[in-house]
Amino acid sequence: MKLTYRRQRVHPKHRFATSQWAVDEKVTLIVRLDHEGVVGLGEVVPSTLYGQTLESSEAALTSIAGLLGDDPFEIEPIVQRLLAAHNDQRAAIDGVDAALHDWCGKKLGVPVWRMLGLGRPRKRTTFTIGVAEPELIRVKVDEALAAGFDALKIKVGTADDEQTLTYIRERFDGPLFLDANQAWTPADAADHVLALARFRPTLIEQPLRAGDWRHMAELRRLGVAPIFADESCERPADVLRLHGCVDGVNIKFTKCGGIREALRMIALARALDMQIMLGCFVCSSLAIAPALTLASLVDYADLDGALLLAADPFEGITRDGGVISLADRSGLGVWPRGGD
Ligand SMILES: [Mg+2]
């Protein structure tokens, strides 16, 4: 197996910001796995939130190239080796996990979702409106509704929250997900959550700092909306830790390390009767495809990372209003734009 990678630059159509950070340009890594004339592709989307940089991911990939062995069908033992060697570089492992699945699907001539025995990857996604000046938020909301999105995710945690949500609720009656990205403290979070009740949120995501997960149980008891953990929930063991504290978890492949680890998190969350959302960062469709592959297993998808781009370097995901689907092709079902 030969593993190579290259850098890829993508740009959101509008600057994308949360209460904690902003993105004008995102550099990801395209992983390419060559073996027996078949090419598997995956995307590494490093996040400094989780101790992953472009450089640390590249260093991990260089090391990983020597750990793969010679049989791509042994995905599980390979991923176990990578987790043992690079436990803190799960974005890199995610890219390799995706490339292995893509390679196996292509080699067998089946889509990865069929290879895994899952339902067809077709799911409503929320469209995310980042933190911005109120005038720009209004432009983004109007664009999203005109484009047919029928579930919105709003980044909250600023002084403009009520103004923004009032504007949205005057125009949109559908599902509204609110994500505070750790903006509040145990002392003020309950007041913020109660103030948001009149906007009828479908759920409220990560109201407190990642380490404050015990206090999230108090916010649950307010009964305003289900409380979801995102930054508090990186890996399978976090699902167990959060049981009883939150109603649901946001699983992202960059955090957990790809399809194999995400399947473990989904199984745990389901066994514990917790709800599940699949999330993403700003990225191209290549990084969305593995998550969309598992969409039939979860309650909610927030897989708009590539839809936020001015230009997506990959194609294969189609959108019908707010519902996205994967192309019925072997492998992950996405390919470089203009290629095959
Ligand atoms: Mg979030």
Side-chain angles (χ1 to χ4, degrees):
M1 263 188 275
K2 184 182 165 205
L3 184 120
T4 53
Y5 59 85
R6 65 176 172 83
R7 292 186 178 191
Q8 168 180 272
R9 288 173 194 280
V10 292
H11 300 90
K13 183 177 176 197
H14 298 292
R15 164 178 255 221
F16 185 76
T18 73
S19 60
Q20 309 297 317
W21 46 265
V23 178
D24 291 305
E25 176 186 76
K26 178 80 182 179
V27 185
T28 66
L29 299 170
I30 303 301
V31 175
R32 178 183 165 119
L33 191 70
D34 282 271
H35 189 63
E36 295 178 351
V38 175
V39 175
L41 296 176
E43 184 172 1
V44 178
V45 187
S47 170
T48 51
L49 280 175
Y50 304 103
Q52 308 154 346
T53 63
L54 211 48
E55 292 72 22
S56 71
S57 299
E58 288 176 333
L61 288 174
T62 302
S63 160
I64 284 170
L67 298 172
L68 293 176
D70 57 8
D71 185 357
F73 284 111
E74 291 195 345
I75 300 175
E76 182 62 30
I78 294 170
V79 168
Q80 290 299 333
R81 283 201 296 277
L82 305 192
L83 290 169
H86 297 284
N87 198 31
D88 60 341
Q89 293 300 317
R90 292 185 174 222
I93 294 172
D94 172 29
V96 177
D97 169 282
L100 286 164
H101 281 88
D102 190 41
W103 187 95
C104 293
K106 287 173 176 167
K107 182 75 173 173
L108 295 171
V110 292
V112 172
W113 62 273
R114 277 205 187 281
M115 192 172 82
L116 297 175
L118 303 176
R120 190 168 288 276
R122 177 179 158 76
K123 193 81 175 172
R124 169 162 291 100
T125 180
T126 49
F127 185 80
T128 305
I129 309 291
V131 167
E133 292 302 311
E135 305 77 56
L136 179 54
I137 286 182
R138 289 197 276 272
V139 170
K140 291 179 172 190
V141 169
D142 293 346
E143 280 182 5
L145 297 178
F149 288 102
D150 48 11
L152 298 180
K153 178 164 168 177
I154 312 300
K155 297 291 193 180
V156 295
T158 77
D160 298 325
D161 290 349
E162 296 210 26
Q163 184 186 349
T164 298
L165 294 170
T166 299
Y167 180 85
I168 292 169
R169 273 305 188 213
E170 284 168 356
R171 286 154 184 79
F172 176 68
D173 200 38
L176 197 54
F177 295 43
L178 304 181
D179 187 355
N181 288 105
Q182 315 183 68
W184 302 319
T185 67
D188 67 13
D191 288 342
H192 286 294
V193 169
L194 289 169
L196 296 176
R198 69 186 173 97
F199 301 107
R200 292 172 282 116
T202 300
L203 59 87
I204 298 175
E205 194 176 322
Q206 199 67 43
L208 297 161
R209 303 297 302 175
D212 279 344
W213 44 271
R214 282 191 188 85
H215 288 112
M216 291 207 268
E218 295 165 19
L219 301 179
R220 272 184 95 187
R221 287 195 282 274
L222 297 174
V224 170
I227 303 294
F228 271 57
D230 179 1
E231 287 87 339
S232 300
C233 186
E234 297 180 37
R235 304 170 183 185
D238 296 324
V239 178
L240 275 174
R241 253 192 294 277
L242 286 158
H243 179 234
C245 298
V246 297
D247 297 280
V249 290
N250 184 344
I251 297 173
K252 293 177 181 165
F253 286 32
T254 279
K255 295 189 291 185
C256 73
I259 289 173
R260 309 302 302 186
E261 285 285 88
L263 285 170
R264 282 184 265 280
M265 294 178 82
I266 290 168
L268 268 171
R270 282 289 178 242
L272 297 167
D273 203 21
M274 294 164 78
Q275 298 175 56
I276 306 165
M277 179 196 313
L278 289 176
C280 64
F281 292 89
V282 173
C283 60
S284 75
S285 281
L286 179 58
I288 297 297
L292 187 50
T293 294
L294 305 192
S296 64
L297 298 173
V298 307
D299 302 292
Y300 303 112
D302 176 31
L303 297 177
D304 61 348
L307 298 171
L308 299 168
L309 299 182
D312 185 351
F314 283 80
E315 58 185 323
I317 294 177
T318 53
R319 182 171 71 83
D320 177 12
V323 175
I324 54 174
S325 313
L326 266 177
D328 205 2
R329 282 208 187 188
S330 63
L332 287 172
V334 291
W335 57 92
R337 189 164 294 282
D340 65 350

